[in-house]
Structures are given as structure tokens and as C-alpha cells.
Amino acid sequence: MEPLLTSESPESPGSRPKQRWFIALLLVFLVMLGVARWVEVSDKNDSDLSDVKVIMKMYTMFGEGKFQGSSCPAAAREVALESVVYDASSDAMPHVSGARVYHGIQGICDFGQFLSTFKQPDYHLTKMLHGNGTVIVKEVLTPSVIATKKTARGRM
């Protein structure tokens, strides 16, 4: 069996069109795979960004300290249902007690309290994917624990 792609001239006049056909088919497949993945992540409706808008509002509220103290449950109900699941687990921080999954309105308040224990001066939200009622957020930061004044060696 001859290789599909060679640098030598073809032995028969019909082999070059077969190679072009194979390459064209491969490119079409890769494009379709990329489109299928985008549709899966974007929930088939680019105009419906309601989940993303809620998460952005939630992040603003975290930054303003609204998810701390006695007013937290009321603030959390502005953006979440009691059935909310907030997954703050992180492979980059496996030994940090606050890097875990939180449930319900109280879970948002607990996470807000955890966030108040460290500083994140170089925080960047790098990517946000949404679909099927789920928003996945990728963040980069160098946390510094307020109580111990210890800072991570590098960005996480």
C-alpha cells in the first residue's frame, strides 16, 4: 500500500486527485469538528448570554464584598437559586480548604467568606464558556493569604 502523501511524483496519473480528495475531506472533517465543539459549548444560541451575564454580575458582587456578612444571603438571592452549585475546586490548589464545591445560597456566602481571606491583585478572568445552564470560568491569579502574608510562588 502506498502512502497517501508523498513528495515523489505519482506512479499513476490517478493518484494525485486521490491525495487531494483525502486532504480536502480531512480539512472538512476538522472544520466540522470545530463547529460542533463551538455549538456544544455555546449552547446552540449565541444570543442567549443570560448565564454569562449572571456570572459577570456575581463576580462584580464578589469584588464589592456583597457576599460577606449578614447581608450575603439577600445579595446571593439576586443572582442565584437555592439549588445553585458553585464549583470552586482547582487542580492548582488541591490543599486549599476553600477550593471546593459549594451548594446553595449559603454556599455562595461561604465562598465569599473564603475569598475575603486572601488578596488577588493580579486577578484575570481569561476564558468563559457556557452551555446547558453551566458556565465554566478560567482564571489566573497569584493569591496572597492575608493572615500569614504568604504569597504563592507564581500565578495559578
Side-chain angles (χ1 to χ4, degrees):
M1 179 175 193
E2 291 183 36
L4 291 175
L5 302 174
T6 64
S7 58
E8 301 172 13
S9 34
E11 292 181 18
S12 65
S15 66
R16 188 62 81 185
K18 287 180 186 175
Q19 291 173 3
R20 288 186 189 133
W21 176 83
F22 177 75
I23 291 171
L25 182 63
L26 181 62
L27 289 173
V28 168
F29 173 75
L30 291 174
V31 168
M32 293 304 294
L33 185 63
V35 168
R37 179 69 183 135
W38 172 250
V39 168
E40 176 186 329
V41 168
S42 67
D43 196 22
K44 301 178 181 78
N45 187 353
D46 290 337
S47 64
D48 181 17
L49 297 175
S50 59
D51 290 342
V52 172
K53 289 176 184 175
V54 168
I55 296 299
M56 292 306 295
K57 181 176 180 180
M58 192 174 191
Y59 272 53
T60 300
M61 293 171 80
F62 273 125
E64 295 169 345
K66 292 189 177 182
F67 295 134
Q68 297 169 14
S70 61
S71 62
C72 176
R77 283 186 182 87
E78 288 180 34
V79 291
L81 300 172
E82 188 59 50
S83 60
V84 68
V85 176
Y86 193 84
D87 186 349
S89 59
S90 170
D91 293 338
M93 302 186 296
H95 305 294
V96 176
S97 63
R100 61 184 179 83
V101 178
Y102 294 86
H103 298 272
I105 297 300
Q106 186 58 49
I108 291 175
C109 296
D110 293 344
F111 184 65
Q113 189 60 39
F114 165 69
L115 286 180
S116 72
T117 64
F118 61 95
K119 297 178 183 179
Q120 312 172 57
D122 64 346
Y123 174 86
H124 288 82
L125 189 149
T126 61
K127 187 179 280 189
M128 191 176 284
L129 304 172
H130 69 100
N132 299 324
T134 299
V135 178
I136 300 171
V137 178
K138 180 175 170 118
E139 306 162 313
V140 177
L141 61 119
T142 307
S144 179
V145 179
I146 295 169
T148 63
K149 297 184 179 160
K150 291 184 179 181
T151 301
R153 291 186 200 128
R155 296 176 89 183
M156 301 178 161

